[in-house]
C-alpha cells in the first residue's frame, strides 16, 4: 500500500472515529460530576488509542483508574501486535463520574476496543472519602440480601424485556452472587448496576434501583444521603431570636402529609419563621424528604408516637415501643433524635413521664380545634384572640383549611410582634409560663 493512501485512510478513520464518538457521547449524555477531564490521543500505524478519564486529585482513586486503563490497554496492545488489516484498530476509554454526597464518588469507565470486532467492557470504581478507600458492594449492602437484589433484577428485566430472559445466560448472570453485581455506581438517589455484554444479554445492560427500594439492606442511611448533599448547598438557617421580645410556637400534629405539610413549610420559609411538627412514626419513614426539609429550614421535629394510641391505656412496654420506634424512624431519615414528645390527646401519667426519659413532654396553650371546624377563619380567629407571649398553638397538618390558616397566621402574628420559634427554642428562652413543657422523669 502506498504510504500516502495509508495516511489518508488513517485520517479518514480518525475523522470517522472522532465523529462517531461525539454522537455516542451526545446520545448517552455523560455525567461528569467529578474530576478534571483528561484526554490523551495517540496513534500507531495500525491503531488509535483514545483515553478519556477524570483526574480526581485523590491518589487512591487516580491510581485505581490508571491501573484499570493500563490493564485493558496492555491486553489490547498484546492482541493488536500481529494485527495487519487495513482497518485501523481502536482502543477507546470514556467515562462518567458521580457524586452521591460528600462521602461517595463513583467513576464508570467504558472501554471499547475494535480489532476484528468491537467489544465493550464496563468498569466501575467507588471511592469512600470518609475512609479513604475504594469500596465494593458489601461495604454498603447486606451480604445476606443478595437474593433480594437478584429477584429485583430478574423481575425488572422480565417486565421490560420479557422475550430475552429465558436463556441460561440470563439465569446465571442474574443469580445472587457478588460477581454478578460488582459493577455499580452510587448516584444521588439510586444505585446503578451494570451488566457486561454476554452476561445477561448479548449487549450490556443497566439497572437503576432507587435507594428507597433497598432501604433496609443498604448501609448508606446513616450518612444522611440527601441531607448531607443539601446541607452543603444550603446554609444553616440563621435565626436572630430576640429573647426580650414575645415569642410563640406553632405546632402541627399527626403529619407529615404530602399535600399540606409542604404548603405550611413554604409559608414558614417565606417569612423566615419556624414551627414544630409532631410527626407520627408510622408516617415519618415514608416522607423522608419532607422531614429533612423541616430540619434544614430550621424547624423542629417532635415525636407524636408511632400509631397515635392513647398512651395512658397502654402497658409500660407498649408505651416504650411507641416512643422508641418513632425516635428511630425519625433518626433514620434525619440523623437526629427528637428532644420532645407530644402524647396523642395530651394524655399522660407517671408511666408516660418515665418512658419519656430525658425528653420533654409538650402539650399546648391554645387549641385551635382545627380538626373539628375545618374552617380557616375560625382557626385564625381562635389564635388571634388567645395568643400571648409563650403560646404553644395546636394545629394539624392534615387539612387544607389549616394550611390556609397557617398562610394567614404566619405573617399576621409577626406583624403583631411575635417571633415564631420552635418549642425547644421557646423553652430555651424560658418561655414556659403556662407550664406546658414538662420534663420527663
Ligand atoms: Ni395527634
Amino acid at each position: 500500500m502506498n504510504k500516502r493512501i495509508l495516511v489518508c485512510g488513517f485520517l479518514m478513520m480518525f475523522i470517522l472515529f472522532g465523529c462517531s464518538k461525539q454522537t455516542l457521547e451526545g446520545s448517552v449524555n455523560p455525567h461528569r460530576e467529578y474530576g478534571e477531564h483528561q484526554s490523551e490521543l495517540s496513534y500507531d500505524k495500525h491503531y488509535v488509542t483514545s483515553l478519556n478519564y477524570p483526574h480526581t486529585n485523590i491518589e487512591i482513586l487516580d491510581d485505581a483508574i490508571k491501573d484499570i486503563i493500563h490493564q485493558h490497554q496492555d491486553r489490547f496492545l498484546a492482541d493488536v501486535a500481529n494485527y495487519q488489516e487495513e482497518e485501523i484498530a481502536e482502543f477507546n476509554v470514556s467515562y462518567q463520574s458521580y457524586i452521591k454526597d460528600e462521602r461517595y464518588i463513583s467513576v464508570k469507565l467504558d472501554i471499547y476496543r475494535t480489532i476484528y470486532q468491537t467489544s465493550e467492557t464496563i468498569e466501575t470504581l467507588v471511592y469512600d472519602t470518609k475512609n479513604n478507600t475504594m469500596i465494593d458492594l458489601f461495604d454498603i449492602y447486606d451480604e445476606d440480601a443478595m437474593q433480594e437484589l437478584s429477584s429485583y433484577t430478574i423481575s425488572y428485566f422480565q417486565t421490560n424485556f420479557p422475550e430475552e430472559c429465558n436463556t441460561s445466560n440470563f439465569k446465571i448472570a442474574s443469580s445472587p452472587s457478588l460477581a454478578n453485581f460488582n459493577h455499580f455506581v452510587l448516584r444521588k438517589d439510586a444505585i446503578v448496576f451494570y451488566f457486561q455484554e454476554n452476561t445477561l444479554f448479548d449487549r450490556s445492560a443497566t439497572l437503576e434501583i432507587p435507594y428507597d427500594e433497598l432501604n433496609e439492606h443498604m448501609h448508606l442511611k446513616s450518612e444522611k444521603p440527601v441531607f448531607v448533599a443539601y446541607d452543603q448547598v444550603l446554609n444553616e438557617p440563621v435565626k436572630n431570636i430576640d429573647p426580650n421580645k414575645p415569642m410563640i410556637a406553632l405546632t402541627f400534629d399527626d403529619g407529615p402529609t404530602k399535600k399540606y405539610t409542604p404548603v405550611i413549610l413554604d409559608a414558614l420559609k417565606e417569612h423566615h419563621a419556624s414551627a414544630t411538627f409532631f410527626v407520627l412514626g408510622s408516617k415519618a419513614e415514608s416522607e423522608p424528604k419532607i422531614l429533612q426539609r423541616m430540619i434544614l429550614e430550621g424547624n423542629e421535629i417532635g415525636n407524636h408516637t408511632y400509631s397515635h394510641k392513647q398512651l395512658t391505656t397502654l402497658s409500660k412496654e407498649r408505651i416504650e415501643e411507641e416512643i422508641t420506634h418513632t425516635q428511630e424512624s425519625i433518626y433514620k431519615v434525619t440523623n437526629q433524635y427528637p428532644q420532645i414528645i407530644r402524647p396523642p390527646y395530651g394524655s399522660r401519667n407517671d408511666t408516660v413521664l418515665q418512658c419519656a426519659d430525658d425528653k420533654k413532654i409538650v402539650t399546648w396553650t391554645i387549641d385551635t380545634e382545627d380538626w373539628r371546624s375545618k374552617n380557616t377563619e375560625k382557626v385564625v380567629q381562635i389564635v388571634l384572640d388567645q395568643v400571648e407571649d409563650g403560646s404553644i398553638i395546636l394545629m394539624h397538618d392534615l387539612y387544607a383549611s389549616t394550611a390556609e390558616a397557617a398562610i394567614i397566621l404566619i405573617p399576621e402574628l409577626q406583624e403583631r410582634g411575635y417571633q415564631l420559634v420552635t418549642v425547644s427554642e421557646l423553652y430555651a428562652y424560658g418561655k414556659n409560663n403556662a407550664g406546658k413543657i414538662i420534663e420527663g422523669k
Side-chain angles (χ1 to χ4, degrees), residues 161-401:
F161 308 98
E163 270 110 57
E164 297 173 72
C165 299
N166 285 326
T167 65
S168 55
N169 273 357
F170 181 87
K171 255 182 219 137
I172 295 165
S174 60
S175 69
S177 89
L178 176 63
N180 288 334
F181 295 91
N182 61 1
H183 290 97
F184 67 92
V185 298
L186 302 175
R187 291 200 200 164
K188 294 236 162 22
D189 45 21
I191 182 167
V192 182
F193 290 97
Y194 300 100
F195 303 90
Q196 310 282 6
E197 58 187 16
N198 301 316
T199 57
L200 284 180
F201 312 116
D202 293 346
R203 60 183 192 287
S204 60
T206 303
L207 172 63
E208 185 177 325
I209 311 180
Y211 295 124
D212 294 353
E213 304 271 344
L214 299 171
N215 258 349
E216 51 193 309
H217 305 303
M218 296 217 55
H219 317 304
L220 291 167
K221 264 280 172 67
S222 60
E223 295 307 321
K224 303 190 275 187
V226 189
F227 200 68
V228 171
Y230 284 172
D231 208 47
Q232 275 188 303
V233 251
L234 294 172
N235 293 318
E236 280 281 299
V238 182
K239 292 195 186 183
N240 296 311
I241 300 172
D242 184 342
N244 301 312
K245 283 186 183 157
M247 59 184 86
I248 56 173
L250 297 179
T251 67
F252 298 91
D253 289 12
D254 298 359
T257 55
K258 247 194 190 73
K259 221 168 164 183
Y260 304 117
T261 313
V263 176
I264 295 168
L265 285 169
D266 286 346
L268 290 163
K269 191 180 173 192
E270 188 188 335
H271 298 283
H272 306 285
S274 306
T276 302
F277 294 86
F278 287 96
V279 306
L280 290 175
S282 56
K283 292 184 182 173
E285 277 184 71
S286 54
E287 299 298 349
K289 295 218 165 119
I290 297 180
L291 264 72
Q292 287 160 6
R293 191 182 158 194
M294 287 171 180
I295 298 287
L296 284 170
E297 295 178 357
N299 302 291
E300 181 170 19
I301 295 177
N303 180 329
H304 196 41
T305 75
Y306 199 80
S307 54
H308 210 272
K309 295 200 176 69
Q310 188 155 341
L311 295 184
T312 48
T313 66
L314 303 180
S315 68
K316 191 176 179 199
E317 288 70 34
R318 291 285 306 283
I319 298 172
E320 268 167 355
E321 232 176 76
E322 285 282 334
I323 293 174
T324 310
H325 200 164
T326 305
Q327 290 291 103
E328 292 304 328
S329 299
I330 294 168
Y331 180 83
K332 249 194 209 171
V333 296
T334 63
N335 225 30
Q336 296 187 13
Y337 287 112
Q339 302 300 311
I340 52 177
I341 299 174
R342 175 173 283 164
Y345 320 101
S347 298
R348 62 195 184 276
N349 56 20
D350 249 23
T351 318
V352 172
L353 288 184
Q354 270 169 31
C355 294
D357 199 21
D358 58 342
K359 296 170 283 298
K360 292 171 190 65
I361 299 273
V362 178
T363 58
W364 53 87
T365 67
I366 299 176
D367 185 353
T368 60
E369 300 205 322
D370 59 341
W371 56 274
R372 197 195 296 274
S373 72
K374 295 201 185 77
N375 180 313
T376 301
E377 273 168 46
K378 277 190 184 158
V379 170
V380 170
Q381 209 47 57
I382 288 171
V383 173
L384 295 181
D385 284 350
Q386 300 182 27
V387 67
E388 58 180 356
D389 189 16
S391 288
I392 302 174
I393 298 161
L394 170 63
M395 291 185 271
H396 299 81
D397 44 341
L398 298 177
Y399 315 109
S401 51

Side-chain angles (χ1 to χ4, degrees), residues 115-183:
I115 295 190
Y116 296 97
Q117 54 202 359
T118 300
S119 65
E120 174 200 3
T121 310
I122 295 161
E123 298 279 10
T124 59
L125 297 147
V126 182
Y127 174 75
D128 175 355
T129 59
K130 191 173 171 190
N131 296 321
N132 187 29
T133 171
M134 306 305 300
I135 60 161
D136 68 23
L137 186 63
F138 288 162
D139 290 314
I140 52 151
Y141 187 81
D142 277 345
E143 279 191 52
D144 44 18
M146 287 310 287
Q147 189 56 55
E148 280 82 348
L149 204 50
S150 167
S151 308
Y152 192 102
T153 306
I154 292 168
S155 99
Y156 173 83
F157 286 110
Q158 276 179 346
T159 309
N160 291 285
F161 308 98
E163 270 110 57
E164 297 173 72
C165 299
N166 285 326
T167 65
S168 55
N169 273 357
F170 181 87
K171 255 182 219 137
I172 295 165
S174 60
S175 69
S177 89
L178 176 63
N180 288 334
F181 295 91
N182 61 1
H183 290 97

Side-chain angles (χ1 to χ4, degrees), residues 21 25 32 36-41 49-55 65 69 90-96 107-112:
K21 219 151 45 207
E25 289 194 358
R32 290 179 176 165
E36 211 178 296
H37 178 75
Q38 306 291 306
S39 190
E40 295 170 19
L41 185 70
T49 304
S50 169
L51 309 181
N52 299 280
Y53 58 93
H55 178 69
I65 292 168
I69 293 175
E90 186 192 17
F91 180 73
N92 181 309
V93 178
S94 60
Y95 72 96
Q96 306 190 8
V107 175
K108 176 196 175 218
L109 297 171
D110 296 298
I111 298 160
Y112 295 89

